[in-house]
Amino acid sequence: MTDRLIIALAQLNASVGDLAGNADAILTARRAAGNADLLVTPELSIVGYPPEDLVLKPALVAAAKAQVERLAAVTADGGPALLVGAPWAEDGKLFNAMLLLDGGRIAGITRKHDLPNYGTFDEKRLFAAGPLPGPLALRGVRIGVPVCEDMWAADVCECLAETGAELLIVPNGSPFEVGKADRRLNLAVTRVVETGLPLAYLNRVGGQDELVFDGASFVLNANRRLAHQLPDWDETIRLTEWTRGADGWSCDAGPINVHDDEPADIYHAMLVGLRDYVNRNRFPGVVLGLSGGIDSALSAAVAVDALGADRVWCVMMPSPFTSQDSLDDAAQCAALLGCRLDTVRIEPAMTAFDTMLGPLFDGRPRDIAEENIQSRIRGLTLMGLSNKFGPMLLTTGNKSEMSVGYATIYGDMAGGYSVLKDLYKTTVFRVCEWRNTHKPRLGLGPDGPVMPVRVITKPPTAELRDNQRDDDSLPPYDLLDRILFALVEQERSASDLIAQGLDPAIVARIERLLYIAEYKRRQAPPGVKIGGRNFGRDRRYPISNAFRTA
C-alpha cells in the first residue's frame, strides 16, 4: 500500500479513426509523464470521440483491441500505468470501456453505465450499458472510474464509494457549449459532496466535425477546493501529486489556469473547430466570398486565426448592386488580415442568365428569382475555384438567417463548413467587437483590428437589389434573435411570446419561416456547435410539418 501517488492527466486531441496515431500520442504522453504512477487519457482515446457508427464495424473494434494490447505490453517496463478508452466487445455486446493497463497486461476494465441519448449523443444505439462498476486496483489504491455521463447522475459515483473507491477519476468526451464548464464543475462538486471523495475530471480537446472540445480539466479535493485547473483548448500533460492522510486521499495544490470568458470562448471554439476540420480532411486551406459585410468578415478572421493568412483566399464578387463601401470594406478586411483577395465580377454571368431565362421569365417582374441567381453565380464561382485549386469553400451564413431561410440554397449556402452556423446575428456583432480589440490566445492572425469599424456599424444588406437592407425583409436582429432563441433554444410556443406582448403577426411569421426552412438546413454544411440547440445534431425537426403554435 502506498501513501503517495502521481497521476498524469493527458488532455489530448485524438483524431477519430486514427487508431495507431492516437496510440502513439498516448505513448508520447506516457514518456512525458516521467515517474508518474498512472497516465489517464480521455474517453474513447484509442478511436477518438465521438466515433459514431464507426464502432459498428467489427474491423474497427478489432483494431482498437490490438492497439490496447500494444499499449498494455509497453507497461511491462514498470513505468506509468495507463488508463485508456476504447470500444470493447464482450459476450456479443459492445461497451464504451476504460481499460487499466499495468504490468504488461490489461489489469482492469470499467464499462460506461449511463449512456447519454439526448442532444448530440446517441450512445444507446451503439453501446450496451455496463453494470454499476466497482473500483479498479492500481498499485494498492482503489480508483473509481465513472465515465463521462456516469458523473452526471448520482448512482455510479455512489456505487463506487460504497464498494471502496478511494478517489474518482472521470474520463470525458464532453463537447463545448456556452456555459457548460460551470455546469461540469457544479456537478463534480455535487458528486464530491455526496461521496466524500476527491475527483479528477479529464476532458479531451480539439474539433471533430460539428463538435469542439474545450478540455478545461480539473481536480477537486474532498473539501471541494480546486487543486488543479488545466487550460482550455490546449493539449497538455499535467502531473498531479496525491497524498493519503488520515481522512483519505488529497491532491496537492497545483496551477489554476484561467479560462476564456464569453465571447472569447465562442471565438476559440470556432477557431479550433475550423482548424481541425480543415487539417484532418487534408485541405490546403479555405476560400470564401468576402462581401464587405460582417458575416464574411468574421468568417475570414476566424479562418486566418485558425490556419494562417497564407491558407485563406478571399474573393470579392461585385455586381451592379454592390456599393463602393462594400468594395472598400472588403479590401480593408483582407489588408488587415494579410490574406489574398481577388475580384471576380459577376455581371457577365448575370447577363448570360438573363439571356438564357429571358424567354421563360418574359412578362414577369424581377424578384427574388433573379436575386437568388446572383447568389448562385457566386456559389458556382467559389466552388469552381475550390475544385480547380483545392481549398475548401467556407460558408459564411449565421444562425439567424439560417433559422428563417434568409439564405440561398446552392448559393451562399454552398460550402464544406460554416463557423457561424450556430451564432445568432446579435452574437456575431459581439464577437466581431471582441476580436477587433483582442487577439485570441491560439490565433495566427494579426494583433490589431481585423475589420473596419464600419463593417460592424453599418446596416446589414445582401446587396442583391438597389438600396436593399436586411430589415426590409426581417425584423431588427435584436427582436428576431429574441424570438428565435425562444422558439429554437427554449422550444417555447409562439403563443407564449405573444402573451409576453410581442406582435402576434411578427411572431407567427417567424415561426412559419423557421419551420418551412427546415429543408434548407438539412442541406447545409456542418458547422461548429456553440449553444444548446444547434441545427443538425441537437434539433431534429421534420421537413413536412403542419404544426403551428400561433
Side-chain angles (χ1 to χ4, degrees):
M1 182 177 293
T2 180
D3 292 330
R4 294 285 297 172
L5 200 62
I6 299 177
I7 300 175
L9 302 178
Q11 190 170 274
L12 301 177
N13 184 359
S15 180
V16 169
D18 184 8
L19 280 63
N22 294 336
D24 287 344
I26 291 170
L27 290 175
T28 299
R30 185 175 185 266
R31 288 190 289 272
N35 65 340
D37 297 285
L38 174 67
L39 176 81
V40 184
T41 68
E43 180 180 12
L44 291 176
S45 53
I46 296 294
V47 299
Y49 189 88
E52 303 187 69
D53 283 8
L54 269 178
V55 297
L56 300 180
K57 277 195 174 297
L60 178 120
V61 175
K65 182 178 181 181
Q67 293 298 333
V68 168
E69 291 171 343
R70 170 192 166 207
L71 294 177
V74 171
T75 64
D77 64 3
L82 295 172
L83 189 62
V84 302
W88 200 253
E90 292 176 331
D91 301 324
K93 295 180 179 179
L94 186 66
F95 297 98
N96 180 344
M98 294 298 301
L99 301 106
L100 179 63
L101 314 179
D102 195 20
R105 63 189 181 90
I106 298 173
I109 303 176
T110 190
R111 303 156 190 85
K112 189 173 183 178
H113 176 72
D114 283 327
L115 301 177
N117 203 52
Y118 58 87
T120 63
F121 306 105
D122 54 3
E123 289 192 26
K124 288 185 178 179
R125 64 186 293 270
L126 302 175
F127 297 109
L132 283 168
L136 302 177
L138 171 71
R139 303 178 183 181
V141 182
R142 296 185 302 278
I143 295 176
V145 186
V147 183
C148 198
E149 192 75 9
D150 288 341
M151 190 193 76
W152 288 66
D155 292 356
V156 171
C157 293
E158 181 181 285
C159 178
L160 287 165
E162 290 175 350
T163 53
E166 299 172 73
L167 58 93
L168 301 174
I169 297 176
V170 190
N172 284 261
S174 181
F176 169 80
E177 187 179 301
V178 170
K180 195 173 185 181
D182 287 341
R183 296 203 300 276
R184 295 177 191 139
L185 185 57
N186 289 337
L187 278 165
V189 168
T190 301
R191 300 290 90 84
V192 167
V193 170
E194 291 168 348
T195 62
L197 299 177
L199 182 151
Y201 178 101
L202 175 65
N203 194 21
R204 67 156 292 182
V205 292
Q208 172 58 30
D209 297 344
E210 292 169 292
L211 302 181
V212 63
F213 300 84
D214 53 327
S217 308
F218 56 86
V219 178
L220 285 170
N221 272 318
N223 61 7
R224 294 173 289 170
R225 290 182 180 172
L226 200 60
H228 283 262
Q229 185 162 273
L230 279 63
D232 47 1
W233 310 113
D234 287 329
E235 281 195 295
T236 190
I237 311 298
R238 176 69 61 85
L239 296 182
T240 64
E241 298 188 20
W242 299 70
T243 304
R244 190 203 306 263
D247 296 326
W249 286 93
S250 66
C251 182
D252 298 349
I256 305 295
N257 290 87
V258 177
H259 294 161
D260 286 337
D261 292 324
E262 190 180 340
D265 58 348
I266 293 173
Y267 197 93
H268 269 121
M270 295 189 294
L271 185 162
V272 170
L274 179 64
R275 179 198 69 195
D276 286 357
Y277 188 85
V278 169
N279 290 338
R280 285 181 172 149
N281 288 287
R282 298 180 177 83
F283 289 107
V286 297
V287 61
L288 71 152
L290 191 63
S291 67
I294 192 169
D295 293 329
S296 63
L298 180 55
S299 297
V302 173
V304 168
D305 279 325
L307 305 171
D310 59 330
R311 298 178 66 191
V312 179
W313 182 7
C314 294
V315 184
M316 175 49 151
M317 294 166 286
S319 78
F321 305 113
T322 302
S323 68
Q324 187 60 47
D325 282 355
S326 293
L327 291 166
D328 295 343
D329 290 343
Q332 192 173 351
C333 275
L336 289 169
L337 291 169
C339 60
R340 175 180 176 180
L341 175 66
D342 287 294
T343 299
V344 178
R345 298 188 176 276
I346 68 167
E347 188 171 7
M350 293 169 61
T351 301
F353 274 100
D354 283 344
T355 301
M356 290 166 55
L357 296 173
L360 300 175
F361 285 4
D362 188 42
R364 292 179 176 267
R366 299 182 72 86
D367 58 15
I368 195 172
E370 284 82 3
E371 294 178 16
N372 285 343
I373 286 171
Q374 294 174 57
S375 180
R376 291 181 177 120
I377 289 169
R378 292 185 171 110
L380 177 66
T381 301
L382 292 168
M383 281 305 306
L385 295 174
S386 175
N387 292 161
K388 181 64 72 172
F389 299 102
M392 182 195 76
L393 173 53
L394 184 63
T395 313
T396 60
N398 63 69
K399 189 170 188 176
S400 302
E401 295 168 353
M402 286 304 305
S403 294
V404 295
Y406 196 69
T408 304
I409 196 166
Y410 321 125
D412 58 340
M413 286 175 60
Y417 202 72
S418 172
V419 292
L420 307 188
K421 183 175 181 177
D422 206 24
L423 261 65
Y424 291 105
K425 189 77 166 191
T426 49
T427 307
V428 169
F429 284 114
R430 284 196 299 119
V431 172
C432 286
E433 290 169 352
W434 178 86
R435 180 58 183 93
N436 248 14
T437 55
H438 299 79
K439 182 177 179 180
R441 178 170 50 83
L442 301 181
L444 302 177
D447 293 337
V450 294
M451 64 187 73
V453 172
R454 183 170 62 187
V455 168
I456 303 173
T457 59
K458 67 184 179 183
T461 172
E463 290 192 325
L464 298 174
R465 61 176 182 269
D466 284 327
N467 302 314
Q468 183 184 25
R469 289 171 46 146
D470 287 6
D471 55 16
D472 295 336
S473 306
L474 299 171
Y477 279 112
D478 55 351
L479 175 58
L480 176 63
D481 287 356
R482 177 185 170 189
I483 296 170
L484 290 173
F485 190 87
L487 295 176
V488 176
E489 311 295 326
Q490 299 175 331
E491 291 292 356
R492 303 283 296 280
S493 67
S495 57
D496 291 338
L497 299 178
I498 293 168
Q500 294 175 7
L502 296 183
D503 186 305
I506 293 176
V507 173
R509 176 172 176 256
I510 298 307
E511 182 189 51
R512 176 181 175 275
L513 292 175
L514 174 66
Y515 286 158
I516 66 174
E518 186 64 36
Y519 83 99
K520 288 187 178 182
R521 292 190 290 270
R522 291 285 186 95
Q523 300 178 66
V528 186
K529 171 182 163 64
I530 299 295
R533 293 282 284 166
N534 77 321
F535 291 130
R537 282 182 168 270
D538 286 318
R539 186 181 185 275
R540 308 175 194 182
Y541 263 60
I543 295 173
S544 304
N545 172 22
F547 182 73
R548 302 290 184 270
T549 62

